[in-house]
Amino acid sequence: MSHVAAFRALHHGRVPDDPLVLPGHWDAASARVFAEAGFPALATPSAGVAASLGYEDGRTPADEMFAAVARIVRAVDVPVSADVEGGYGLAPKELVERLLEAGVVGCNLEDSTREGLKDPAEHAEWLAEVRQEAGDRLFLNARIDTFVRGVDDPAAAIGRAAAYVAAGADCVYPIAAPVAVLPLLRAGIQGPVNAVARPGEGPSPAELGALGASRITFGPGLQRQAEQAVREHAERLAGRPAR
């Protein structure tokens, strides 16, 4: 079985309290740590990779992001999915080529820009073009940004999800959806649903799975937790009280 087929299979046939957990690594070293811990696949967070490269979230040049992802893929033997934000303005054909060259099995694609939410019909059309170019060679996780853009009505997320699944998305990711609406989203969405967990706080991955999430990611949470641990070590070494 190919890496992408194995990755796709991990999303299906799961019991509610056992969602697929994909740690958010940010460089080759952290990827190795999670792979050696036994996780069957990994998923990069764009904000975490950006921080490792010295950029603010959303400011990483495409070439540097793809190069960083390729280094991560070379470092581990498990499938890796990459958060490539909104696709960096690349045409679907070039985007797919760049992802395949990096060696990933899938990607996150956002439906908003700095200006706001994209038109869902236009975004679905673009996703369909990405799917056509990719065939079955990539797992497409369509991020839905309604909740982070102040649209709190779950129906808006469910409507976008339907359009994106029809366009060929393998999974949808209503990022920052309130925990209380996860069962409603689960009931209204076909296929796997991605939810975000916050390390050390909020519902556990198993609890999020019981509420309807098929797949759990962490955004940049694990990278920021590791950065805080390094900061505390640095302050102790410098003789200052840890913050």
Side-chain angles (χ1 to χ4, degrees):
M1 182 183 294
S2 69
H3 262 184
V4 66
F7 185 71
R8 186 172 279 112
L10 287 171
H11 291 75
H12 297 280
R14 310 196 71 89
V15 297
D17 62 351
D18 182 32
L20 174 62
V21 176
L22 298 175
H25 58 290
W26 52 95
D27 59 13
S30 60
R32 286 195 186 104
V33 169
F34 291 123
E36 289 168 2
F39 288 95
L42 305 174
T44 68
S46 63
V49 175
S52 76
L53 296 174
Y55 292 101
E56 295 180 11
D57 185 21
R59 298 294 189 184
T60 310
D63 287 349
E64 292 197 43
M65 181 62 77
F66 285 114
V69 169
R71 287 193 295 271
I72 288 167
V73 171
R74 289 196 298 269
V76 295
D77 292 327
V78 299
V80 176
S81 182
D83 182 349
V84 290
E85 303 177 89
Y88 306 111
L90 300 173
K93 186 176 189 299
E94 184 178 1
L95 175 61
V96 168
E97 288 173 351
R98 297 291 298 271
L99 288 163
L100 293 175
E101 286 171 3
V104 298
V105 298
C107 64
N108 280 14
L109 293 169
E110 303 169 4
D111 68 349
S112 70
T113 66
R114 291 185 178 275
E115 287 69 45
L117 287 164
K118 296 178 181 178
D119 177 84
E122 292 178 2
H123 187 62
E125 184 177 348
W126 181 77
L127 285 174
E129 292 175 10
V130 175
R131 167 54 70 205
Q132 183 176 9
E133 293 292 344
D136 62 359
R137 297 176 295 171
L138 290 172
F139 184 99
L140 302 184
N141 188 33
R143 203 178 92 173
I144 298 170
D145 288 358
T146 51
F147 293 103
V148 295
R149 295 292 180 171
V151 181
D152 296 328
D153 184 359
I158 291 171
R160 285 175 178 260
Y164 302 163
V165 169
D170 296 286
C171 181
V172 294
Y173 180 15
I175 188 171
V179 172
V181 306
L182 275 177
L184 181 61
L185 296 175
R186 173 68 283 165
I189 294 174
Q190 294 186 352
V193 174
N194 191 150
V196 65
R198 290 172 173 78
E201 59 180 274
S204 68
E207 290 168 334
L208 290 170
L211 290 169
S214 318
R215 153 177 164 159
I216 307 298
T217 52
F218 298 86
L222 294 168
Q223 181 270 327
R224 289 173 180 168
Q225 195 175 64
E227 183 179 342
Q228 179 60 26
V230 172
R231 180 177 294 109
E232 291 171 3
H233 283 299
E235 290 174 343
R236 281 194 292 269
L237 289 170
R240 295 195 295 269
R243 287 179 288 172

